Every structure is written in C-alpha cells, then in structure tokens.
C-alpha cells in the first residue's frame, strides 16, 4: 500500500534543468527520511541526495553538489530533486526512496522505493 511515485523526468539538452518529484502515499511522510538514487546504463545504482524528515539535514553526492538540490514539502507529501546544469553523464533512471530513520547514503538501508523515472540529457 506504500507507494512512491516519481515524475518530472524526460529528455533535456545539456545545460538545462529538470525538477523531479516523488509523491508518497500509504505512510506518514513526515516520519520518513527521503533519498534519491540513480542508475545509469551499465553502471551500479548510486546515491544522489537525501533529506531528513524535518528537512533540516541534507546530504548530497560530492560530485553533484552545486548542481543538484533536494527539498521536501511535508504538507504535500512530496520530495523534490532540482537538477541544474545537466550533463550527458547525468542520464539515468532516478529512484525515490523512503526510510523511517535518519538520513543515509546506503541504498540497502531504505525501506521503500519508487519505480523510477528516466532522465536523458542530450549533448
């Protein structure tokens, strides 16, 4: 019954921006830390960013700091990933995840996952 549904992916030109959304249902959203992961073709899934239940604490992959920003709106049960200055190497399926604990970068510590949304960045 717990569902995480990502949206906002698509095809963008290098240098452009996208804002991904993840709408949660079936859980008390404000009790969950949220995270974003991505998996590019031929590569393992990697951590992108995470945010605590309160939104006070955030964590981002070092290589993405300055371009990607995570945020949440507990009133809307939604977490966002703002992606700026996109590069072809950002092409991947982006996954939203939820954890009823404090934020973590470890994917195996998340409790629930969305189906993913495709982001393709053209050169």
């Amino acid at each position: 019954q717990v569902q995480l549904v990502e949206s906002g992916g698509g095809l963008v030109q290098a240098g452009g921006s996208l804002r991904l959304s993840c709408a949660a249902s079936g859980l008390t959203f404000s009790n969950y830390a949220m995270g974003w992961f991505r998996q590019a073709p031929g590569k393992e899934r990697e951590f992108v960013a995470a945010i605590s239940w309160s939104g006070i604490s955030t964590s981002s992959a070092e290589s993405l700091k300055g371009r990607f920003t995570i945020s949440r709106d507990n009133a809307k049960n939604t977490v966002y990933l703002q992606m700026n200055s996109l590069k072809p190497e950002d092409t991947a399926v982006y996954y939203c995840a939820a954890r009823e604990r404090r934020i973590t970068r470890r994917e195996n510590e998340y409790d629930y996952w969305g189906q993913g949304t495709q982001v393709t960045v053209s050169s």
Side-chain angles (χ1 to χ4, degrees):
Q1 191 169 7
V2 174
Q3 290 187 322
L4 303 177
V5 181
E6 301 95 334
S7 62
L11 175 64
V12 298
Q13 184 177 323
S17 299
L18 279 177
R19 189 190 194 193
L20 303 184
S21 298
C22 174
S25 62
L27 52 76
T28 303
F29 185 73
S30 60
N31 290 343
Y32 285 76
M34 303 295 296
W36 286 98
F37 293 79
R38 69 183 185 182
Q39 186 166 23
K43 297 183 178 180
E44 296 183 353
R45 189 158 56 187
E46 64 176 337
F47 171 77
V48 174
I51 187 167
S52 65
W53 65 268
S54 66
I56 295 176
S57 299
T58 61
S59 179
S60 300
E62 292 298 325
S63 62
L64 302 178
K65 289 184 177 179
R67 295 196 299 120
F68 287 20
T69 303
I70 190 170
S71 62
R72 68 190 296 162
D73 186 340
N74 286 352
K76 297 181 178 180
N77 286 3
T78 301
V79 63
Y80 305 96
L81 183 68
Q82 179 67 46
M83 306 186 295
N84 298 324
S85 301
L86 284 163
K87 306 173 181 179
E89 64 192 68
D90 295 320
T91 295
V93 176
Y94 284 72
Y95 297 91
C96 173
R99 183 175 190 251
E100 196 176 13
R101 303 288 189 277
R102 65 183 302 168
I103 61 173
T104 179
R105 296 187 177 197
R106 298 181 173 88
E107 60 185 275
N108 61 1
E109 294 183 349
Y110 282 84
D111 301 310
Y112 304 105
W113 291 83
Q115 80 289 344
T117 185
Q118 177 70 47
V119 172
T120 302
V121 184
S122 62
S123 60

